[in-house]
């Protein structure tokens, strides 16, 4: 099935996917994935639901992925979509400390904004503090709407917390044409999410790459509960090939940029 080499999906929510998806991903050439913390799909009722979820990702999903020849890593957070419930979100953040140092936990994320309000802002900044204290990578979520406001508010937070000299350890995800230039200007890594209807099509993602270059940009699927495709990264590679991109250029945005970002974590042990 795959004749374009190896792929790395740096943002996919396998908690919400089936074992058949793992098989399809393996056949398509996906060798490495990173799973950031996501929302449960329904309102959480206790801190225990967070803890069970983090343990599931660290243990069960790593093993399930391994059975299909895919190396699996985890980012921990209280996701922006779940950060506004008080006191549950703050209690969960405290409980998260027991999991941060676990094997295969390579970053804090996703953190950032969903609807952009003060409660989200509080959890965003508290989790940035954790990342700095632990010297960890960070994955920041841009909101699905009001992306211009999201990137400007993210920029303001990074500046106010004196993180502008650490942007090489920050991945800002779910970029579009509205945000990509500002993300790259900050010195952060940029995720382009190829996801039907609500995010980017393969064509739009490739247009962004053609305009902004290959450096620090990585393709991901963010496959989750919604209508989404866990092999979006190989799909983009196929479309890039049709557009005349070289194999080196295709590999850069579908594999090596993600590898260069995550290898900054001492717990990211996979090597090509």
């Amino acid at each position: 099935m795959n004749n374009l080499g190896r792929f790395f999906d740096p943002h996919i929510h396998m908690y919400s996917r089936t074992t058949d998806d793992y098989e399809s991903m393996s056949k398509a050439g996906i060798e490495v994935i990173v799973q950031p913390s996501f929302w449960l799909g329904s309102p959480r009722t206790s801190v225990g639901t967070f803890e069970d979820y983090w343990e599931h990702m660290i243990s069960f999903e790593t093993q399930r992925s391994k059975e299909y020849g895919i190396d699996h890593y985890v980012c921990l957070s209280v996701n922006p979509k779940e950060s506004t419930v008080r006191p549950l979100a703050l209690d969960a953040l405290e409980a998260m400390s027991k999991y941060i140092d676990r094997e295969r936990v390579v970053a804090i994320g996703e953190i950032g904004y969903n609807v952009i309000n003060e409660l989200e802002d509080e959890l965003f900044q508290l989790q940035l503090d954790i990342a700095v204290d632990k010297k960890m990578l960070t994955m920041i979520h841009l909101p699905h709407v009001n992306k211009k406001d999201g990137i400007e508010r993210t920029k303001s937070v990074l500046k106010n917390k004196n993180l502008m000299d650490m942007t090489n350890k920050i991945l800002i995800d779910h970029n579009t044409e509205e945000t990509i230039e500002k993300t790259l200007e900050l010195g952060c890594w940029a995720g382009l999410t190829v996801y039907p209807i609500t995010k980017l099509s393969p064509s739009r993602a490739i247009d962004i790459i053609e305009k902004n270059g290959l450096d620090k940009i990585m393709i991901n699927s963010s496959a989750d509960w919604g209508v989404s495709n866990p092999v979006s990264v190989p799909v983009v590679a196929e479309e890039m090939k049709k557009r005349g991109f070289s194999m080196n250029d295709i590999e850069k945005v579908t594999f090596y940029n993600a590898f260069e970002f995550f290898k900054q974590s001492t717990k990211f042990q996979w090597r090509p």
Side-chain angles (χ1 to χ4, degrees):
M1 178 179 176
N2 168 48
N3 60 359
L4 282 173
R6 53 180 36 158
F7 300 108
F8 187 148
D9 192 335
H11 186 147
I12 187 167
H13 300 289
M14 296 308 296
Y15 179 81
S16 60
R17 309 302 302 194
T18 68
T19 302
D20 289 346
D21 291 322
Y22 273 119
E23 184 173 15
S24 297
M25 291 158 61
S26 180
K27 288 179 178 178
I30 295 174
E31 296 187 17
V32 193
I33 60 175
V34 174
Q35 181 165 194
S37 293
F38 192 45
W39 69 298
L40 188 63
S42 58
R44 294 186 189 270
T45 58
S46 69
V47 171
T49 62
F50 283 96
E51 295 195 71
D52 289 344
Y53 170 60
W54 294 324
E55 184 63 46
H56 175 98
M57 286 201 298
I58 294 167
S59 301
F60 180 76
E61 290 300 340
T62 295
Q63 181 58 39
R64 190 161 70 127
S65 181
K66 183 179 180 181
E67 291 171 3
Y68 290 88
I70 299 172
D71 213 17
H72 173 269
Y73 294 89
V74 176
C75 309
L76 293 188
S77 74
V78 176
N79 188 277
K81 198 175 179 87
E82 298 180 315
S83 66
T84 59
V85 181
R86 297 292 190 275
L88 181 58
L90 293 172
D91 292 342
L93 203 60
E94 183 177 350
M96 195 173 78
S97 63
K98 295 182 289 185
Y99 298 86
I100 287 174
D101 294 326
R102 293 277 295 277
E103 187 179 358
R104 295 187 174 266
V105 177
V106 294
I108 299 297
E110 302 172 73
I111 60 175
Y113 299 106
N114 179 39
V115 297
I116 312 179
N117 60 34
E118 291 184 1
L119 291 175
E120 290 177 354
D121 197 66
E122 180 187 20
L123 260 288
F124 181 23
Q125 297 196 46
L126 286 172
Q127 292 183 94
L128 280 173
D129 291 341
I130 293 171
V132 170
D133 181 61
K134 290 287 187 176
K135 297 181 173 59
M136 294 179 73
L137 301 175
T138 307
M139 182 185 292
I140 295 176
H141 175 282
L142 289 177
H144 302 305
V145 296
N146 297 325
K147 284 186 180 288
K148 284 185 179 180
D149 291 343
I151 190 65
E152 288 298 336
R153 193 143 171 179
T154 297
K155 178 180 178 180
S156 177
V157 168
L158 295 179
K159 283 189 172 182
N160 290 341
K161 298 189 81 64
N162 298 314
L163 298 179
M164 296 304 292
D165 61 343
M166 299 174 59
T167 53
N168 195 52
K169 298 185 75 173
I170 296 172
L171 166 60
I172 298 179
D173 210 350
H174 307 320
N175 285 277
T176 64
E177 298 86 349
E178 295 180 298
T179 65
I180 185 67
E181 291 182 10
K182 285 185 170 57
T183 293
L184 294 173
E185 285 170 3
L186 285 171
C188 297
W189 297 76
L192 299 180
T193 301
V194 174
Y195 187 112
I197 305 171
T198 61
K199 299 183 179 71
L200 295 173
S201 65
S203 179
R204 282 178 64 195
I206 296 168
D207 288 345
I208 290 171
I209 291 167
E210 286 184 331
K211 181 178 179 181
N212 295 277
L214 304 162
D215 291 344
K216 285 196 165 185
I217 292 178
M218 62 188 82
I219 301 293
N220 69 77
S221 70
S222 191
D224 55 22
W225 302 109
V227 178
S228 48
N229 185 358
V231 295
S232 285
V233 177
V235 167
V236 171
E238 290 280 2
E239 292 302 313
M240 289 181 73
K241 183 180 180 182
K242 293 175 185 176
R243 291 245 199 138
F245 282 85
S246 69
M247 285 299 297
N248 285 343
D249 288 349
I250 293 170
E251 288 179 342
K252 192 172 177 70
V253 296
T254 61
F255 189 92
Y256 282 105
N257 281 349
F259 171 72
E260 290 298 323
F261 175 73
F262 283 104
K263 80 173 186 180
Q264 296 179 91
S265 168
T266 57
K267 288 186 281 184
F268 184 81
Q269 296 296 314
W270 191 90
R271 291 295 181 268

